[in-house]
Amino acid sequence: MSKFWLLATQLYKQKIRSKSFIFSTLLYVAIVSGIMFWSDIKAAIFSEEPLKIAMVNDTKQDFKEVFQSDDDVKFSFPTEDQATIEKQIKAEKLDAAVFLTEKDGRLNAEIVTYTPLEFNDQTKLSSMIQYAGKIYAVQQLHLTTEQAAQIIESQTPIHMKNLDMQKQDGKSEDEKAAGIGASILVGSIVYSIVISFLSIITTDVASEKGSRVLEVLLASVKPSTHFLAKITGTYLLAFSQVALLLVVQILLLLTVDDGSKWKKVAGVIENLSVSYVVYTLAYLILSIFLFLIVGALFGSLVSKVEEAGQTMMPVMFMGIAGFYVLMSGLYSPDTLLVKIFSFIPFTTVMVMPLRIGATDLSPTEPLIALIILIATVVVLFYVSLSFYKRSVLTYSSGGIIQKIKTVLKVTT
Amino acid sequence: MTLVIDQVTKRYQDFTAVDQLSFTIKKGEIFGLIGQNGAGKTTTFRMILDLQETTEGDITWNEQPMNKVNRDILGYLPEERGIFPTMAVEEQLYFFGILRGWTKKDLKKEVDYWIKRFDLEDKRKAKAETLSKGNQQKVQLIASFIHQPEFLILDEPFSGLDPVNRQLLMNAILFLKEKGTTILFSSHQMDNVEELCDHLCVLKKGASLFTGSLLDLKEQYGKIKLSIRSELEESQLNALPGVKRVKKTKDGYTLLLENELYGEQLFQILGKGKYMEKFSMDYLSLDEIFKDLVGGEHV
């Protein structure tokens, strides 16, 4: 085994066997699975009885078509008087009752409860009542069923036509939605990788430097080999964690509820363009590399592992900033802020996929961002390597600027 | 010639760490580099190991520049101990052996031998950070030569060791010398240097004050340390010819002479032809020579 692979696998084996890594990976997988399958988990753990709501209709209109029972709500249509119904509510035989009456030609509703309804349930019930109200209002006009349906169901179809020939290949709403969904996923993965693996590589280099084992290693291997081995080992570690996460999610998607969720995900993937997938993967691979280069460099600057956290704060902030810009761009992916951050190498991976997926941008923009990212990785790699060679054996106190000054002072 | 350091200088922006240093180490020799803290020992080691570049001068191993030398022939024990804190002792030794080009199978014999010799059998699976300082140092030392290097550099190998472990390490170093390893080491403890070294170099502020054999160094000073038991007062002894300094000891006096030629004359004056309980002319100890060279007092 070459020295490079020995060092890379040593880091990999040591970290992958560590309790903290195993625990954090399991926690990560559990949290992501929990979010993905929240509705199934909720149904399995909190197997709630459906809400029992009595619809007391004092109008001549029949609303049974509107208020249809489902898994969450069971509607009944009693004919008892209000006092009897309220007694049943107090006795918790019913969760709520809706008294529908007519007032000034409009439908009027009163919701009676003993325990206030949950926000979600109340919203759902309110929108159903609003819908019933519309039907009631239309019915007062004495229209035919078809005419009424035409008014209520009417939706204006909107077609986009752009006169710029280059921009004619616009995205459909489905494609844009898929682009936003996938961008959230990529953004979240990068964010968690930035936070956890930046910390892993920085503290690993810092602890080797602090325990002086680095001097022994560098007597045997070139600093460039050590530097690359650290990045590769951490990269493999990150890759393993992401792969595990994806495998678990895919297995869960395929098995839970007979794969009904997998069909939804497959639908999203089908709506993603080839260029989106290629660019996003390229950004992802390069960006992890970029953050790990900086992490290794910062690890080499500190004198002991305790200082590592403080040193990597600026890079962490870059990751956090990218994530926030992504979140702000989910609702308006065309703002100037999103455009600017999509070209900053440290945030391209989080922001540019959103622009590619959710907006009709010119094909040169993602390419320019990619070129900027590649150029930054190459330049930063060589600058970091040259600095790494000099900083790994220099011990100094003070802040990061002071440390850089000391390295330059004692090595030039 | 094996290692040749030729007119090597390491200069930083505002100070010179090593100044025009030259010495050679022959194959199978133990060479001591001594000097106070900050004298430039570690910088010299780092330049030999190609961890730092020289500003001027050349360092060669068998006439090959150090940066062209196969790193696997080198072994290095840094001054501040460098082992993986969370790695088990045995795993650590295998790791450093494999890093220097050995296979696990070939290493087994070596690992077993040294673990037994250094009495670490019950610590095989223990993490390095759980060991005592002495045991950590043993592991560290084994790790530096587990691959049987041709050239071994030991920076302060004895610091912080109890006398028993110090002797254990000393014997190991002599054992390696017998097997043909060339060893360069630094130490503050001059008795270790005196016991182990064939040749040495005394550094002060980066410059060499003396380079050569230990015997040459001692002969350069001569036998100028006179130990006597006498009824004379300190002031009377001070007035004797050729006496530079007098120091009262538990067991009489130690006189520092201008040179050893005064010995005979003083023997006549102090003994007056009669029996003397103690009259001994000696070389200075390396410790005393060192203090004299770097500006301290001796005797």
Side-chain angles (χ1 to χ4, degrees):
Chain A
M1 194 192 295
S2 71
K3 292 182 182 193
F4 167 77
W5 279 112
L6 182 71
L7 287 174
T9 49
Q10 186 259 334
L11 181 145
Y12 182 80
K13 281 190 213 158
Q14 190 200 347
K15 297 290 173 196
I16 209 153
R17 285 187 304 205
S18 75
K19 288 190 188 83
S20 60
F21 183 78
I22 294 171
F23 181 73
S24 64
T25 304
L26 291 179
L27 191 69
Y28 186 37
V29 171
I31 289 173
V32 174
S33 308
I35 294 169
M36 295 269 287
F37 296 93
W38 175 242
S39 57
D40 301 273
I41 294 169
K42 195 179 153 195
I45 300 175
F46 313 101
S47 53
E48 283 178 356
E49 291 280 305
L51 275 182
K52 281 178 278 193
I53 299 178
M55 301 302 300
V56 185
N57 185 4
D58 205 26
T59 67
K60 286 170 188 159
Q61 185 72 34
D62 182 10
F63 289 117
K64 283 184 183 162
E65 283 297 310
V66 179
F67 298 100
Q68 284 188 354
S69 298
D70 58 19
D71 290 346
D72 297 328
V73 191
K74 196 172 176 222
F75 291 104
S76 58
F77 301 89
T79 47
E80 286 103 328
D81 63 9
Q82 185 155 357
T84 319
I85 300 284
E86 281 178 2
K87 262 186 202 167
Q88 288 179 5
I89 292 172
K90 276 184 189 163
E92 297 193 347
K93 285 179 183 166
L94 284 171
D95 295 299
V98 182
F99 295 96
L100 297 172
T101 49
E102 193 207 270
K103 197 176 181 187
D104 305 331
R106 278 163 43 174
L107 190 67
N108 192 43
E110 185 187 20
I111 303 174
V112 179
T113 59
Y114 187 69
T115 313
L117 291 175
E118 281 179 20
F119 181 77
N120 278 346
D121 297 327
Q122 188 163 346
T123 313
K124 186 175 175 181
L125 187 61
S126 299
S127 71
M128 286 170 117
I129 295 170
Q130 290 297 340
Y131 186 67
K134 271 188 190 172
I135 291 175
Y136 188 78
V138 169
Q139 288 297 333
Q140 300 311 301
L141 301 173
H142 304 291
L143 302 173
T144 63
T145 317
E146 287 78 17
Q147 284 171 326
Q150 204 175 348
I151 291 173
I152 289 165
E153 307 293 340
S154 74
Q155 263 190 342
T156 312
I158 302 170
H159 301 285
M160 302 294 283
K161 184 179 179 187
N162 195 309
L163 297 177
D164 183 345
M165 295 301 280
Q166 284 185 332
K167 290 183 180 171
Q168 265 197 356
D169 190 19
K171 295 181 178 68
S172 70
E173 289 304 311
D174 281 353
E175 284 170 343
K176 286 183 180 177
I180 290 177
S183 302
I184 296 173
L185 183 72
V186 172
S188 309
I189 289 177
V190 173
Y191 182 70
S192 67
I193 287 176
V194 167
I195 300 298
S196 55
F197 293 94
L198 180 77
S199 148
I200 284 180
I201 195 165
T202 309
T203 50
D204 191 69
V205 175
S207 89
E208 279 190 5
K209 189 181 172 188
S211 70
R212 312 288 165 137
V213 77
L214 199 52
E215 271 189 64
V216 185
L217 295 175
L218 292 184
S220 299
V221 297
K222 287 187 187 140
S224 54
T225 311
H226 185 263
F227 184 66
L228 264 178
K230 287 287 159 201
I231 292 172
T232 310
T234 317
Y235 214 117
L236 289 175
L237 204 62
F239 185 77
S240 304
Q241 196 180 64
V242 174
L244 178 75
L245 181 71
L246 289 180
V247 168
V248 171
Q249 296 316 312
I250 290 169
L251 285 178
L252 285 174
L253 285 170
L254 286 172
T255 51
V256 172
D257 203 11
D258 291 331
S260 65
K261 282 218 162 73
W262 174 251
K263 280 172 201 143
K264 282 186 199 163
V265 174
V268 171
I269 293 171
E270 270 171 30
N271 272 317
L272 293 176
S273 64
V274 176
S275 68
Y276 178 90
V277 175
V278 171
Y279 273 121
T280 303
L281 277 178
Y283 293 148
L284 190 63
I285 290 164
L286 286 164
S287 296
I288 296 174
F289 203 45
L290 183 70
F291 278 106
L292 292 183
I293 289 171
V294 180
L297 175 68
F298 280 12
S300 77
L301 277 174
V302 301
S303 299
K304 44 184 190 284
V305 70
E306 292 82 3
E307 296 171 356
Q310 156 205 349
T311 315
M312 60 194 171
M313 282 311 253
V315 197
M316 282 218 179
F317 280 131
M318 289 302 283
I320 293 168
F323 194 68
Y324 279 125
V325 172
L326 166 70
M327 287 300 155
S328 79
L330 292 179
Y331 301 101
S332 45
D334 284 328
T335 60
L336 185 63
L337 185 75
V338 173
K339 281 182 187 163
I340 291 171
F341 271 77
S342 68
F343 289 103
I344 297 175
F346 286 92
T347 53
T348 292
V349 65
M350 289 185 227
V351 184
M352 190 52 105
L354 177 75
R355 291 192 63 207
I356 303 175
T359 65
D360 295 312
L361 79 172
S362 92
T364 51
E365 286 190 52
L367 189 65
I368 292 169
L370 185 67
I371 292 167
I372 293 174
L373 185 57
I374 293 172
T376 311
V377 167
V378 172
V379 170
L380 207 65
F381 178 75
Y382 284 105
V383 170
S384 297
L385 186 57
S386 131
F387 213 76
Y388 190 79
K389 284 181 192 165
R390 307 194 280 177
S391 61
V392 280
L393 296 173
T394 308
Y395 296 86
S396 64
S397 54
I400 189 153
I401 304 292
Q402 185 59 39
K403 287 177 198 301
I404 292 171
K405 275 187 189 166
T406 310
V407 171
L408 292 174
K409 191 178 162 190
V410 300
T411 56
T412 47
Chain B
M1 297 299 165
T2 305
L3 182 83
V4 178
I5 307 246
D6 185 22
Q7 298 285 307
V8 166
T9 297
K10 180 71 193 176
R11 209 173 290 123
Y12 298 121
Q13 274 176 352
D14 49 5
F15 78 105
T16 305
V18 176
D19 191 12
Q20 299 281 307
L21 184 66
S22 294
F23 61 81
T24 58
I25 309 177
K26 290 180 192 145
K27 186 172 165 45
E29 186 178 82
I30 301 184
F31 191 99
L33 195 60
I34 58 175
Q36 289 171 293
N37 294 328
K41 300 184 298 282
T42 302
T43 307
T44 305
F45 290 157
R46 285 181 176 176
M47 286 191 292
I48 295 172
L49 290 162
D50 196 31
L51 295 177
Q52 282 184 337
E53 287 170 7
T54 58
T55 312
E56 286 163 23
D58 300 309
I59 302 175
T60 57
W61 173 263
N62 287 336
E63 292 163 12
Q64 234 190 341
M66 277 318 280
N67 58 4
K68 299 269 188 298
V69 170
N70 176 9
R71 323 294 298 163
D72 294 343
I73 67 150
L74 303 172
Y76 177 46
L77 174 81
E79 182 179 0
E80 293 191 51
R81 306 300 164 231
I83 39 180
F84 292 105
T86 57
M87 208 189 261
V89 169
E90 192 181 40
E91 198 186 340
Q92 195 120 217
L93 297 179
Y94 279 116
F95 175 80
F96 282 110
I98 294 168
L99 188 69
R100 274 78 164 253
W102 281 51
T103 63
K104 198 167 181 180
K105 200 176 143 200
D106 293 339
L107 276 169
K108 191 180 182 316
K109 210 175 117 194
E110 289 293 313
V111 169
D112 290 348
Y113 172 79
W114 285 107
I115 281 185
K116 197 173 173 200
R117 177 162 178 163
F118 275 18
D119 201 18
L120 290 166
E121 203 63 64
D122 56 335
K123 310 279 188 230
R124 261 178 192 270
K125 304 283 179 202
K127 281 184 183 174
E129 64 188 359
T130 64
L131 303 181
S132 67
K133 194 178 174 191
N135 279 337
Q136 283 193 20
Q137 211 146 335
K138 287 186 203 169
V139 174
Q140 166 95 9
L141 188 75
I142 304 173
S144 70
F145 60 66
I146 192 78
H147 59 299
Q148 298 183 356
E150 285 179 38
F151 181 37
L152 179 61
I153 295 178
L154 306 169
D155 198 354
E156 298 289 345
F158 303 106
S159 69
L161 284 184
D162 63 53
V164 177
N165 279 324
R166 197 182 307 170
Q167 194 56 50
L168 204 65
L169 246 69
M170 203 115 82
N171 292 343
I173 291 171
L174 289 169
F175 174 82
L176 291 169
K177 179 195 157 129
E178 271 171 40
K179 292 181 87 176
T181 312
T182 307
I183 298 165
L184 168 63
F185 87 103
S186 71
S187 180
H188 291 305
Q189 285 139 318
M190 297 303 152
D191 50 337
N192 300 136
V193 182
E194 215 161 345
E195 208 168 322
L196 289 170
C197 287
D198 305 301
H199 290 85
L200 57 90
C201 172
V202 183
L203 277 180
K204 185 182 180 183
K205 291 183 181 167
S208 163
L209 298 175
F210 173 85
T211 306
S213 78
L214 186 59
L215 198 63
D216 282 347
L217 179 63
K218 290 201 164 188
E219 280 177 352
Q220 215 176 60
Y221 276 81
K223 292 172 186 157
I224 57 167
K225 189 164 77 169
L226 172 60
S227 305
I228 57 165
R229 209 166 287 142
S230 170
E231 287 164 2
L232 294 178
E233 294 291 317
E234 199 171 326
S235 57
Q236 291 173 300
L237 291 171
N238 248 323
L240 292 172
V243 174
K244 273 171 77 178
R245 214 160 28 237
V246 178
K247 191 177 173 188
K248 198 167 171 23
T249 63
K250 280 182 191 168
D251 189 29
Y253 295 97
T254 303
L255 281 61
L256 180 73
L257 308 184
E258 281 167 18
N259 67 58
E260 65 178 67
L261 296 173
Y262 284 102
E264 205 175 328
Q265 194 183 348
L266 288 170
F267 185 77
Q268 301 296 339
I269 295 169
L270 291 166
K272 295 170 191 163
K274 291 179 188 168
Y275 167 74
M276 263 196 292
E277 260 185 19
K278 187 179 181 186
F279 185 97
S280 167
M281 295 282 286
D282 292 305
Y283 286 118
L284 291 177
S285 70
L286 184 58
D287 195 43
E288 290 160 333
I289 294 175
F290 177 71
K291 283 178 191 162
D292 182 61
L293 279 171
V294 300
E297 266 192 18
H298 59 83
V299 181

